[in-house]
Amino acid sequence: MAGRATQQSSLLHEWDLPLEKNQDLTKDRREVYGHLLDFNPSWEEAPRAGTSGVRTVDVQAVEGMVAQFPCDLGTAANDKVYMVFWFRDDAGIPLYSFDVRGKHLSEARHWSAPEVFGPRAHFSTTPPPASLLVRDVKRRDEGVYRCRIDFRNTQTTSFRYNLTVVVPPEKPVVVDRWGRVINTTTLGPHEEGDDVLLTCRVLGGRPEPSVRWLVNGVLVDEEYEHNTGDVIENRLLWPAIRRADYAAVFTCQAANSHLVPPKELSLVLDMFLRPLTVEIRKPMEMGEGGVLTAERRYEVACESAGSRPPALITWHKGKRLLKRITEELRDNLTVSVMSFVPTLDDDGKPLTCRAENPNVTSLFLETSWVISVVYPPVVRLRLGSSLAAGDIKEGDDVYFECHVRANPPARKLSWLHDDKALAHNATARVFHSNQSLVLQKVTRYSSGRYACSALNAEGETVSNELHFRVKYAPSCRSGGVSVVGAARGESVVIVCEVDADPPAAVFKWKFNNSGETLDVAADRYTSNGSASSLKYTPVADLDYGTLSCSASNEVGTQLAPCVFQMVAAGKPHAPRNCTLWNQTADSVEVSCVAGFDGGLPQRFFLEVYSGDDLVPRVNLSSEEPSWTVRGLEWDVRFRLAAVAVNSKGRSPPAHLDDVLFRDPEKRTASESALGAGAAGAASAGAAGAGAALALLACACRAARRRRAPPPKPPAPRADKPPEHDDAEPDLIPNNYCETPSVPARNTPSSLSGPLTGPLTAPLVVPLTTPLATPVSTWAPRSSSGSLRATDLNVDAIKEKLLDNRIPESCV
């Protein structure tokens, strides 16, 4: 059997020739098949015998497109495909073969009968299932086809197909009621009310196509009929078309298979449309009722919409055609503007606007307006005849008169205050009475511009503006309590501003420090009508309190004064008791005692200068008056300045001069960290301090009970006390000694006498010599060198004694 199969295969390969050779192989094929029949007589009958029970599957293909015949090669899962043959009808001769023997599926040999499919057919195994694809299907290809699959061991498998070739119809043709073919995509134009009759003709198609009409995508007619030959027609009658039918899409479709889209032709309905609306837009200057003012030019607009093409607008006044018009188009809107000047003779005449379709004169629409000619109100406003405009003040009653002349008579009278409507309001004491306005108990807010307006059928007119003035007593402009911060000795200018009409004539200032209330002298402040300025300099604790000012004019005196709360604030005091300590070859630490912060948070700076430089070499910042200076040159004398800063400004500097960093190899034990020149000053200061202490016997007992001072940084060396520079001399009041000749006082010193001087001058004499830090260096002296009791500031001396830990005693 193996030998016979090999012989059979070799014979089949003899007619498996290249497909591109277009030649008649019928004779060769007969010889081959005759040899096969001699070799195996049952070979030709096998296909027919094996397909008696095979179900036939219907396959449709569109002419000119691809037909697909699926033939699954995987029916025998565990066997190998040898051969695949395709047959037509019951013929025993294959029209296509697929030889897989001894090869992979991708290497199989294909053969197609030239007189059947030829190069149009191809058997594809991917993607599964395998299929025979026939391109450019023709009508003659219609018939029954068999697929036979031979396996190595498994029984042969067959599939059967009934191919139907669909022939699409030709594109539809539409003709009108007169049999004329419509070659454009537009139907019409038609007028409203016309009947539209359309006939759709379709030629050819197998199977017979269905022809139907759709309007805007909705099926409206699917009844068709045969004409001569293979022509199919569907006639559509669309009666009495309406405006809503404009731009409707009429579509004729012909279809005979779901495999291809239907052939169709669409037409868009075009129509001539009459104007839908026509409306006269009356002038905005016109009043209610459509009345016009004589001898005044007006522009009247007429708008028409809905006409296609756009409407043509004409104007008539009575029977006269008006020509002074302008016209413009806005989308589907036609706007015509007519300009004219009415006269008294025009009263009662109709003004007509006519809009018509320019292509169909019977399609028009018009509207009329009967005009009425009048004149607007003439209005004038006056203050009440019994009132004097310059004598009105808060609390008075006033009234206004509005004189109106109008035709037709005014039907509405309105009042305006500063361009805002002023309504009748009994609660606010505003009353409307006929053509008068009454204001009771007027206030300063009643001042302003008044006007009245009158309205009649022609329009509304606003009168002249009347400027109304109400005089009133002064009142504080800012309101509330203003806080003013100032340091002792700092002069501040306090401005008291008031509202008044007429301007304030007199201002008065007062001071209150919870102990008593004092009047401020008139020469201490200045006034300019709406404001008063006071220059104030607090010099003691009692100078801090409350300042108030009030003003008066011809109407009256201010009820609630303007209040200013004085609080202690100013630039901080300079740091004091500045000391150099822990000095090394290239560093030194500087510590000071913080002075008064001026009532505000302060920060401290140390500036290091060399020689006569004006710009510091180093600028150190700290929250506390303590710094460490490092990295400065040796054998160079430096000047140090310690300052305090707050939001009011900088304090005077506290100077430390002649700071010298020596080369460690050149230093000796006798050299001071602060340089030379301080010992002599210390000795002289000690002598002066002894003389000062002799005058403090009256204050010693009270001072002994004072608490110990806070801890200080390490004291400077005894032989070289640090130098201090106090920029301002101390003021030394003697109110600590109980002297009968000086009575006790609580009067603020900044409010009597000159602005910066005391009310009753205490015993205050400036020291002639600046104070340095150690007590031994700042004994105050007179210009002649002798010490006087009036030259002493007891508080300052006591503070200096405590700061330097010198015990107090009565001398």
Side-chain angles (χ1 to χ4, degrees):
M1 292 295 295
R4 296 181 63 146
T6 302
Q7 183 180 7
Q8 181 180 3
S9 174
S10 62
L11 293 174
L12 287 174
H13 282 292
E14 293 179 0
W15 46 263
D16 190 5
L17 300 176
L19 298 178
E20 62 270 13
K21 293 184 179 180
N22 187 11
Q23 53 184 330
D24 188 6
L25 299 181
T26 305
K27 182 178 180 181
D28 296 338
R29 205 171 289 113
R30 286 177 180 174
E31 293 178 355
V32 171
Y33 278 103
H35 191 278
L36 288 175
L37 291 174
D38 293 339
F39 180 75
N40 184 6
S42 63
W43 184 85
E44 186 179 9
E45 298 299 326
R48 281 179 286 184
T51 59
S52 59
V54 177
R55 182 173 63 88
T56 301
V57 177
D58 290 330
V59 176
Q60 282 190 342
V62 180
E63 184 180 25
M65 301 182 72
V66 178
Q68 181 175 358
F69 302 95
C71 185
D72 191 2
L73 301 182
T75 54
N78 299 323
D79 204 350
K80 179 176 176 59
V81 177
Y82 263 22
M83 295 285 292
V84 178
F85 296 100
W86 287 87
F87 303 90
R88 181 168 181 174
D89 298 329
D90 293 333
I93 301 175
L95 56 88
Y96 194 96
S97 67
F98 182 73
D99 188 356
V100 198
R101 291 173 298 175
K103 303 177 183 64
H104 189 267
L105 284 175
S106 61
E107 301 173 350
R109 299 184 63 182
H110 298 257
W111 175 85
S112 177
E115 68 275 12
V116 184
F117 293 145
R120 294 186 295 128
H122 176 74
F123 186 71
S124 175
T125 59
T126 57
S131 300
L132 180 65
L133 304 177
V134 180
R135 294 180 289 106
D136 192 18
V137 175
K138 305 182 182 302
R139 300 185 188 186
R140 66 174 182 269
D141 295 335
E142 194 171 72
V144 178
Y145 294 85
R146 291 180 288 120
C147 172
R148 167 181 161 178
I149 306 172
D150 291 343
F151 299 94
R152 180 176 181 178
N153 300 315
T154 311
Q155 184 179 359
T156 297
T157 301
S158 297
F159 298 93
R160 188 180 181 88
Y161 308 93
N162 182 17
L163 174 63
T164 301
V165 177
V166 176
V167 179
E170 295 183 6
K171 187 174 181 179
V173 175
V174 177
V175 298
D176 58 16
R177 65 170 65 237
W178 298 280
R180 296 174 298 188
V181 176
I182 301 176
N183 295 320
T184 65
T185 59
T186 302
L187 181 60
H190 290 275
E191 297 182 17
E192 292 183 62
D194 287 351
D195 295 335
V196 176
L197 180 63
L198 301 174
T199 301
C200 180
R201 293 175 181 173
V202 178
L203 179 63
R206 191 169 65 90
E208 181 181 276
S210 61
V211 180
R212 57 183 187 172
W213 279 100
L214 296 89
V215 178
N216 293 329
V218 178
L219 179 64
V220 295
D221 187 358
E222 57 181 350
E223 296 182 2
Y224 56 90
E225 59 185 9
H226 284 279
N227 203 336
T228 59
D230 53 354
V231 176
I232 301 175
E233 292 184 349
N234 188 336
R235 181 172 297 179
L236 173 67
L237 175 61
W238 199 255
I241 59 175
R242 301 170 298 167
R243 175 180 292 272
D245 295 325
Y246 170 69
V249 179
F250 291 77
T251 303
C252 174
Q253 286 185 350
N256 63 349
S257 173
H258 65 281
L259 298 178
V260 289
K263 297 291 182 68
E264 64 180 31
L265 176 66
S266 296
L267 301 173
V268 179
L269 179 61
D270 188 14
M271 297 179 63
F272 288 137
L273 302 176
R274 74 172 62 244
L276 190 62
T277 62
V278 60
E279 182 179 3
I280 294 178
R281 299 290 184 184
K282 299 176 183 179
M284 297 191 59
E285 302 88 351
M286 173 190 71
E288 294 183 4
V291 293
L292 302 177
T293 303
E295 305 304 327
R296 181 176 180 181
R297 181 169 294 280
Y298 290 93
E299 289 188 348
V300 184
C302 181
E303 297 180 356
S304 176
S307 176
R308 192 173 188 283
L312 178 64
I313 296 179
T314 55
W315 289 88
H316 292 80
K317 184 174 65 175
K319 296 182 179 180
R320 178 185 173 189
L321 178 66
L322 302 179
K323 298 181 179 181
R324 194 183 182 92
I325 62 174
T326 59
E327 191 170 284
E328 63 174 321
L329 300 178
R330 305 173 187 171
D331 296 333
N332 192 32
L333 183 69
T334 304
V335 180
S336 177
V337 179
M338 186 267 297
S339 177
F340 80 112
V341 178
T343 64
L344 296 179
D345 296 335
D346 293 331
D347 186 27
K349 290 183 179 180
L351 191 64
T352 303
C353 172
R354 178 187 179 100
E356 59 183 355
N357 191 302
N359 294 329
V360 184
T361 55
S362 61
L363 300 179
F364 70 90
L365 198 64
E366 67 181 20
T367 183
S368 296
W369 170 38
V370 178
I371 60 177
S372 176
V373 181
V374 293
Y375 62 88
V378 178
V379 188
R380 183 171 180 81
L381 178 65
R382 295 177 182 174
L383 186 64
S385 56
S386 62
L387 300 177
D391 296 336
I392 298 173
K393 61 183 180 300
E394 283 189 321
D396 291 347
D397 296 339
V398 298
Y399 67 97
F400 300 89
E401 296 175 345
C402 186
H403 299 273
V404 180
R405 181 169 57 91
N407 182 29
R411 59 180 179 82
K412 182 180 179 181
L413 185 66
S414 301
W415 294 91
L416 303 174
H417 178 209
D418 291 335
D419 298 327
K420 295 182 180 179
L422 187 62
H424 182 94
N425 188 342
T427 303
R429 299 186 178 94
V430 178
F431 302 93
H432 294 179
S433 176
N434 294 329
Q435 296 183 4
S436 298
L437 171 67
V438 179
L439 304 178
Q440 294 181 345
K441 305 296 183 183
V442 294
T443 66
R444 67 189 67 185
Y445 306 107
S446 302
S447 300
R449 297 175 288 108
Y450 284 82
C452 62
S453 67
L455 177 70
N456 67 359
E458 193 279 333
E460 183 177 10
T461 304
V462 180
S463 72
N464 59 299
E465 287 188 342
L466 185 64
H467 292 265
F468 178 61
R469 176 187 177 189
V470 177
K471 298 180 180 181
Y472 55 90
S475 62
C476 190
R477 181 172 298 176
S478 60
V481 179
S482 301
V483 179
V484 181
R488 290 187 182 184
E490 178 186 2
S491 296
V492 294
V493 177
I494 303 173
V495 180
C496 174
E497 295 183 300
V498 297
D499 285 328
D501 188 8
V506 178
F507 280 86
K508 291 185 179 180
W509 287 83
K510 292 184 179 182
F511 177 81
N512 187 310
N513 64 355
S514 76
E516 60 181 329
T517 301
L518 301 175
D519 291 331
V520 180
D523 58 353
R524 304 285 296 277
Y525 54 84
T526 59
S527 305
N528 64 358
S530 62
S532 178
S533 300
L534 169 67
K535 186 176 182 182
Y536 188 78
T537 307
V539 296
D541 290 343
L542 294 177
D543 294 337
Y544 292 100
T546 302
L547 284 167
S548 62
C549 86
S550 59
S552 60
N553 61 4
E554 66 180 59
V555 178
T557 302
Q558 181 175 344
L559 297 179
C562 302
V563 180
F564 304 89
Q565 184 67 44
M566 295 297 303
V567 296
K571 296 180 181 180
H573 290 189
R576 52 194 174 86
N577 285 7
C578 293
T579 306
L580 301 179
W581 59 288
N582 199 18
Q583 183 174 0
T584 66
D586 60 352
S587 68
V588 65
E589 295 187 23
V590 182
S591 294
C592 300
V593 176
F596 176 58
D597 60 5
L600 301 170
Q602 62 180 343
R603 189 173 181 83
F604 301 92
F605 293 87
L606 181 66
E607 299 172 345
V608 181
Y609 300 85
S610 64
D612 295 331
D613 292 346
L614 299 179
V615 178
R617 297 278 298 276
V618 180
N619 195 336
L620 303 178
S621 173
S622 175
E623 297 291 339
E624 299 294 334
S626 178
W627 307 270
T628 300
V629 184
R630 294 187 179 91
L632 299 180
E633 298 92 336
W634 295 336
D635 294 330
V636 177
R637 292 190 180 278
F638 293 96
R639 293 178 290 113
L640 308 183
V643 295
V645 179
N646 67 6
S647 60
K648 282 283 188 178
R650 292 166 54 98
S651 72
H655 293 289
L656 291 166
D657 296 335
D658 293 337
V659 179
L660 182 66
F661 293 91
R662 287 291 182 87
D663 187 341
E665 296 180 357
K666 299 179 181 180
R667 295 185 63 186
T668 63
S670 63
E671 289 178 334
S672 170
L674 301 179
S683 176
L693 293 175
L695 301 177
L696 299 177
C698 63
C700 294
R701 295 183 182 88
R704 288 195 187 100
R705 295 183 177 87
R706 295 179 62 181
R707 57 184 179 83
K712 300 291 181 180
R717 293 173 55 179
D719 57 344
K720 300 283 186 178
E723 295 181 0
H724 286 256
D725 184 11
D726 196 342
E728 299 179 0
D730 289 337
L731 299 179
I732 310 175
N734 64 348
N735 56 358
Y736 284 94
C737 293
E738 299 177 1
T739 303
S741 61
V742 182
R745 298 178 302 276
N746 62 357
T747 301
S749 60
S750 61
L751 294 175
S752 67
L755 189 60
T756 57
L759 293 175
T760 302
L763 296 177
V764 178
V765 179
L767 297 178
T768 59
T769 304
L771 299 180
T773 301
V775 174
S776 60
T777 65
W778 57 265
R781 299 178 183 275
S782 66
S783 60
S784 62
S786 62
L787 185 67
R788 297 174 304 181
T790 57
D791 295 334
L792 299 180
N793 186 327
V794 178
D795 284 342
I797 295 174
K798 288 170 60 182
E799 184 177 0
K800 299 297 184 179
L801 291 173
L802 292 174
D803 287 344
N804 292 273
R805 296 181 176 83
I806 298 177
E808 302 177 36
S809 62
C810 295
V811 179

